[in-house]
């Protein structure tokens, strides 16, 4: 018993060195497996130090490139804590968003797998606190050109609990994901993703046609504005190119205006 604080501190130091310095250690998965058994025995309510351990150690362990080596054990530890205190689901989801991979598709699929597990244990109040940044990220995943990422993101709608949370908060969520759905329906190269894309809007159209029409109208307005901006940009560049051609064809040199430094001492 008296050695527990020392052991926890030693394990934490190993994790800190791994996360922020070396990213090299052969026993991370095994240490997490041991911690999984320890966390399973935590009494309720959770102590503050256990919450700090979640925020400072477990969540940052998503950062290293070699996450695949120990992700199963890490996910188990995090889920043990969330199941003991569902109010920490918001903290975990925001932590995942903080370390969400940008260019690593296989790691992104792992994040989506873990996200589904966490969302299954998430209650409506915690879900509402993080749903806006969460669904901005999910919208990016739906639009991903890597078909496995897009398919995994769409599979969230196959989970009844998550689908119910989304439906309850559809007035906030649908306007966020609608542009991604429309772009997929028009342009996505993968046939399976294209088919999945068509299924999701149908749910909301049947459920709340007025909201669906509002989102569609808003998307069309935003699209027309983007087209106008693109036309103005092209016109501006064309004018600059014509001006440059005139300058180049003339015998006069092109002078760049120079403002003298009025604050400097005169020579």
């Amino acid at each position: 018993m008296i050695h527990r604080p020392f052991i926890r501190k030693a394990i934490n130091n190993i994790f800190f060195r791994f996360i922020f310095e070396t990213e090299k250690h052969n026993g991370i998965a095994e240490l997490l497996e041991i911690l999984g058994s320890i966390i399973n025995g935590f009494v309720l309510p959770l102590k503050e130090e256990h919450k700090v351990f979640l925020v400072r150690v477990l969540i940052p362990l998503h950062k290293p490139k070699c996450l695949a080596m120990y992700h199963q054990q890490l996910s188990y530890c995090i889920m043990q804590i969330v199941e003991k205190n569902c109010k920490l689901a918001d903290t975990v989801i925001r932590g995942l968003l903080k370390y969400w991979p940008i260019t690593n598709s296989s790691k992104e699929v792992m994040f989506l797998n873990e996200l589904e597990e966490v969302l299954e244990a998430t209650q409506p109040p915690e879900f509402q606190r993080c749903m806006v940044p969460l669904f901005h990220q999910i919208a990016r995943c739906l639009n991903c050109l890597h078909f496995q990422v897009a398919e995994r993101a769409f599979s969230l709608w196959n989970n009844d609990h998550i689908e119910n949370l989304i439906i309850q908060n559809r007035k906030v969520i649908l306007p966020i994901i609608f542009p991604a759905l429309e772009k997929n329906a028009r342009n996505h190269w993968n046939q399976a993703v294209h088919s999945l894309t068509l299924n999701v809007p149908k749910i909301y159209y049947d459920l709340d046609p007025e909201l669906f029409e509002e989102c569609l109208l808003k998307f069309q307005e935003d699209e027309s504005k983007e087209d106008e901006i693109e036309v103005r940009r092209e016109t501006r560049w064309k004018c600059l190119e014509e001006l440059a051609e005139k300058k180049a064809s003339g015998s006069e040199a092109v002078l760049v205006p120079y403002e003298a430094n009025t604050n400097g001492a005169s020579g």
Side-chain angles (χ1 to χ4, degrees):
M1 289 287 288
I2 59 172
H3 297 300
R4 282 184 181 179
F6 171 76
I7 293 169
R8 282 201 300 268
K9 188 176 180 182
I11 292 174
N12 285 0
N13 287 338
I14 291 170
F15 285 141
F16 288 143
R17 196 175 299 115
F18 171 71
I19 296 165
F20 300 110
E21 293 179 14
T22 64
E23 289 197 9
K24 292 178 183 177
H25 193 279
N26 294 327
I28 296 298
E30 288 75 14
L31 285 172
L32 286 169
E33 203 161 325
I34 294 167
L35 280 170
S37 300
I38 295 171
I39 293 167
N40 195 30
F42 283 173
V43 294
L44 297 177
L46 289 177
K47 295 179 182 176
E48 189 61 30
E49 65 180 286
H50 298 150
K51 298 175 186 177
V52 170
F53 175 72
L54 170 69
V55 173
R56 293 187 180 175
V57 179
L58 292 181
I59 291 175
L61 274 169
H62 290 86
K63 178 175 175 279
K65 296 175 184 176
C66 56
L67 174 65
M69 294 172 59
Y70 56 84
H71 182 254
Q72 184 179 350
Q73 292 85 351
L74 175 61
S75 181
Y76 176 78
C77 289
I78 287 177
M79 283 309 302
Q80 288 291 309
I81 293 176
V82 171
E83 284 170 5
K84 287 180 179 294
N85 186 349
C86 62
K87 291 182 179 179
L88 292 172
D90 170 48
T91 302
V92 172
I93 290 170
R94 289 182 183 276
L96 288 173
L97 295 176
K98 180 180 178 181
Y99 293 104
W100 200 277
I102 297 172
T103 58
N104 189 333
S105 299
S106 59
K107 194 173 176 182
E108 205 164 357
V109 171
M110 283 190 283
F111 271 58
L112 286 165
N113 289 337
E114 185 174 351
L115 177 65
E116 181 171 3
E117 289 183 19
V118 176
L119 285 172
E120 268 195 282
T122 304
Q123 298 305 309
E126 285 70 45
F127 180 78
Q128 287 166 1
R129 284 204 293 270
C130 64
M131 64 184 175
V132 173
L134 171 62
F135 277 87
H136 277 294
Q137 181 58 59
I138 289 175
R140 285 190 285 272
C141 292
L142 297 176
N143 259 158
C144 184
L145 291 176
H146 195 291
F147 73 97
Q148 288 178 333
V149 175
E151 282 183 348
R152 189 64 189 86
F154 275 111
S155 70
L156 294 173
W157 273 262
N158 295 333
N159 187 300
D160 291 339
H161 178 69
I162 297 172
E163 188 180 18
N164 286 336
L165 289 173
I166 295 171
I167 288 172
Q168 288 167 17
N169 299 279
R170 62 185 178 274
K171 292 189 184 300
V172 175
I173 292 171
L174 186 58
I176 295 172
I177 64 170
F178 193 88
L181 297 173
E182 276 296 308
K183 289 171 185 174
N184 267 11
R186 296 181 188 182
N187 302 319
H188 206 284
W189 65 273
N190 186 272
Q191 188 58 46
V193 173
H194 192 268
S195 301
L196 289 168
T197 301
L198 298 177
N199 292 336
V200 174
K202 190 175 184 302
I203 297 170
Y204 298 104
Y205 183 76
D206 294 341
L207 191 68
D208 194 339
E210 288 183 10
L211 177 63
F212 186 89
E213 290 299 329
E214 283 177 21
C215 292
L216 180 60
L217 185 61
K218 177 73 165 56
F219 174 76
Q220 290 170 344
E221 288 174 0
D222 291 343
E223 199 174 35
S224 64
K225 287 177 184 176
E226 287 176 10
D227 291 341
E228 289 173 11
I229 291 169
E230 185 62 29
V231 168
R232 286 203 300 269
R233 186 184 294 117
E234 287 179 3
T235 305
R236 193 178 298 118
W237 275 110
K238 192 173 181 181
C239 290
L240 288 170
E241 286 170 2
E242 289 174 357
L243 184 62
E245 285 175 8
K246 288 178 183 177
K247 293 278 188 182
S249 61
S251 56
E252 295 179 3
V254 179
L255 299 175
V256 179
Y258 171 75
E259 291 183 7
N261 187 358
T262 55
N263 297 327
S266 58

